[in-house]
Amino acid sequence: MGELVEHVDEHDHVLGIVERDEAVRENRPHRIAATICRDRAGRILVVRRAETLSRFPGHHDVMVGGAVDVGESYEEAAARELAEELGVRVPVRFLFKFLCRRGISPVWFGVHEAVVTEPLVPDPGEIAWRGWLTVAEVCGVVDQWLFVPGGREALRRYLRSGSGG
């Protein structure tokens, strides 16, 4: 059996439990917890996803995250994903959520922010490259580099919200 997720509606209310691959294949909205990481200087972490990933291989992103497990909150999932993908355990702060229809299927993104002060230990199966970029540098590459569509949209919402410096 594959990874189970909660299928949700247009208002992020749970309708049932499905396998994530089925949710993607059937265009059923489900939840993704993601975190935009900053360092003490205010730079934003940009990652390039591993080429072996089934979703958006080799794409850049400003978010680190993944599917919210059944019964898990966005915040719990965001913290778990940071530990799994970057090897860090830091507090995450929920910022906003939005329904993203760009990409492989509709998903509700729960977007968080974390200030990372400890060394990163990225999982090479998830992250092929990472770099800390200033807000201006990120804005300069987000439409030039191959970016995950949801990450591009989340970055714009993040910067408009005033969270991004």
Side-chain angles (χ1 to χ4, degrees):
M1 177 167 277
E3 177 183 20
L4 295 178
V5 296
E6 293 170 333
H7 168 219
V8 295
D9 65 13
E10 301 288 317
H11 305 286
D12 196 22
H13 298 122
V14 176
L15 299 174
I17 297 171
V18 297
E19 288 189 21
R20 185 174 183 194
D21 288 341
E22 177 186 341
V24 170
R25 189 173 55 253
E26 301 292 328
N27 277 333
R28 295 181 182 184
H30 55 287
R31 295 172 171 159
I32 301 291
T35 303
I36 296 174
C37 297
R38 305 292 293 257
D39 67 5
R40 284 189 184 129
R43 296 177 300 176
I44 296 173
L45 180 67
V46 176
V47 299
R48 190 176 72 246
R49 297 169 54 84
E51 294 289 342
T52 54
L53 292 173
S54 62
R55 295 169 184 89
F56 303 107
H59 284 58
H60 290 86
D61 205 346
V62 294
M63 298 191 300
V64 175
V68 176
D69 289 341
V70 174
E72 189 177 38
S73 72
Y74 281 109
E75 292 83 359
E76 291 166 336
R80 175 180 51 76
E81 290 287 342
L82 278 180
E84 291 174 5
E85 294 188 18
L86 293 178
V88 296
R89 296 190 186 283
V90 296
V92 297
R93 180 173 65 101
F94 181 83
L95 298 175
F96 56 86
K97 66 181 180 176
F98 70 98
L99 179 60
C100 180
R101 298 185 181 280
R102 296 183 182 131
I104 56 173
S105 70
V107 296
W108 274 96
F109 276 111
V111 181
H112 304 76
E113 180 181 55
V115 177
V116 178
T117 58
E118 56 189 85
L120 301 177
V121 185
D123 175 351
E126 299 275 346
I127 297 172
W129 172 88
R130 89 247 186 223
W132 294 100
L133 280 66
T134 66
V135 170
E137 289 169 335
V138 174
C139 290
V141 299
V142 70
D143 291 318
Q144 295 177 6
W145 293 357
L146 186 61
F147 248 81
V148 175
R152 183 180 291 123
E153 187 173 340
L155 175 67
R156 291 196 170 111
R157 289 171 182 259
Y158 175 73
L159 294 174
R160 278 196 310 264
S161 75
S163 299

